[in-house]
Amino acid sequence: MNKLIVPKVILHEHIEGSITPFMAQKLAEKNHIPFPDSLCYPTGEYDANEYKNGRYRYDETNFNQFIQTYDTVSNFLKTPEDYYAITFDFLNRNARQGLIYCELFLSPYHICTTENNGEIIWHKEKFHQTLTQMDKAIVDVQKQHQITVRYHVIGVRHLGAKIVHETLRFIQHNPHHFITGFNIAGNEKAGHFDDFQDSHQLASQLKLQKSYHAGEIESAQSIIQALKHGAVRIGHGIRAIEDENLIQQLVKNNITLEIALTSNRILVNELHGNIYNHPVRKLYEQGVRVTLNTDDAGIFGTDIEKEHHIAQSIFHFSRLELLDITLCGIYAAFVEKAIKEHLTHYVLSFFTSDDKNELQQAITSQHYHPAIIARFLEYQRLLLLTPVNQ
Ligand SMILES: [Zn+2]
């Protein structure tokens, strides 16, 4: 990989949300499903530089239209092979942009259940076949790119505590070596984290690390609740900005926020569709570990390069700060310690002599929050152990 590129990490991408308009069209044709004219803008009616893989037509101010689009597109997925196609497509195009580590969120409930007279039936064969296809896609992407991938199992919050627990029970009986995380996602307003007590416990028992969606739509209080139940990362978490004490707690306990700028601009009402209102810079400057994520890359018309570009051009993150964000991502990754160490050294090998000078200046200037300075000092220490990049 070109040594001047910033290597990138995604900790938060829902696999069904990664489907681009072009991929949706292919899946619909393959599975003989009508493709509604209204789903996407026709060629020529959108900026093809901005939306390289087509553009969905939903009104960005209308949450229901967004959900409808998501559902329509997810319903184009019919077979395990379809999951191969979307996993390969997403990872391959992001790996070309420098993605070296990715966590994909998958929902067993959506992948492998049917309903019969109100009873939910879990089809384990379909689950295994689907994961086999996703694994195969990863191996095929790895033939050309150096990338590591892990999965989270999603408990869909608005389906209720019972189904979330059943989902984890299903994983207990059908484990997979790449499933390292448990995630509560879906409508943040549905229920309270206390309602999911059985699931919090079972996830711990299964040694799944927890990242919960909170503080995107709901208040800072929802983040406090997620932490109380063992989350070590927070999906979005941007409303932490409303609570000074919480920010200090996040910094002190090395909690990582999975920020998704494009997703937040579209879905978070408080931002009024205006990315300039996003608190990412303020959170970073107060010492919080932030990462940049795509969330639903295909549906939002984004990819990791675009998220980095927004961070750089709108929030003035420097190359050194973007490298720090990537290293925060590796630090927070739900992956084995040896791989984490290897990835950390790999990212450090991208530090040019200019980056090292920047690092030294940042440390001596004391302009940064002490938590950031502590990270920078650690990078400096590790750089002495890392082969020089020329
Ligand atoms: Zn999400």
Side-chain angles (χ1 to χ4, degrees), residues 12-14 70 105 154 183-186 213 216 235-236 258 260 263 294-296 300:
H12 187 138
E13 172 69 17
H14 301 258
Y70 201 104
F105 298 175
I154 288 272
N183 206 304
I184 293 184
H213 282 63
E216 176 194 15
H236 304 292
E258 300 156 10
S263 162
T294 41
D295 197 12
D296 297 307
F300 293 127

Side-chain angles (χ1 to χ4, degrees), residues 15 82-92 104 134 137-138:
I15 189 63
D82 296 341
Y83 277 84
Y84 172 91
I86 64 171
T87 306
F88 184 87
D89 189 52
F90 173 73
L91 292 176
N92 195 47
L104 293 174
M134 290 179 70
I138 294 168

Side-chain angles (χ1 to χ4, degrees), residues 315-332:
F315 298 101
H316 310 293
F317 280 90
S318 67
R319 179 179 153 93
L320 176 64
E321 290 166 345
L322 290 174
L323 286 162
D324 179 37
I325 283 175
T326 293
L327 286 162
C328 284
I330 305 278
Y331 172 89

Side-chain angles (χ1 to χ4, degrees), residues 7 27 41 67 152 155 179 202 215 222 236 258 274 297 341 352 363 372:
L27 291 171
Y41 286 98
I67 293 292
H152 285 220
I179 298 179
L202 184 52
S222 69
H236 304 292
E258 300 156 10
N274 185 346
E341 284 173 4
T352 61
I363 291 167
I372 302 178

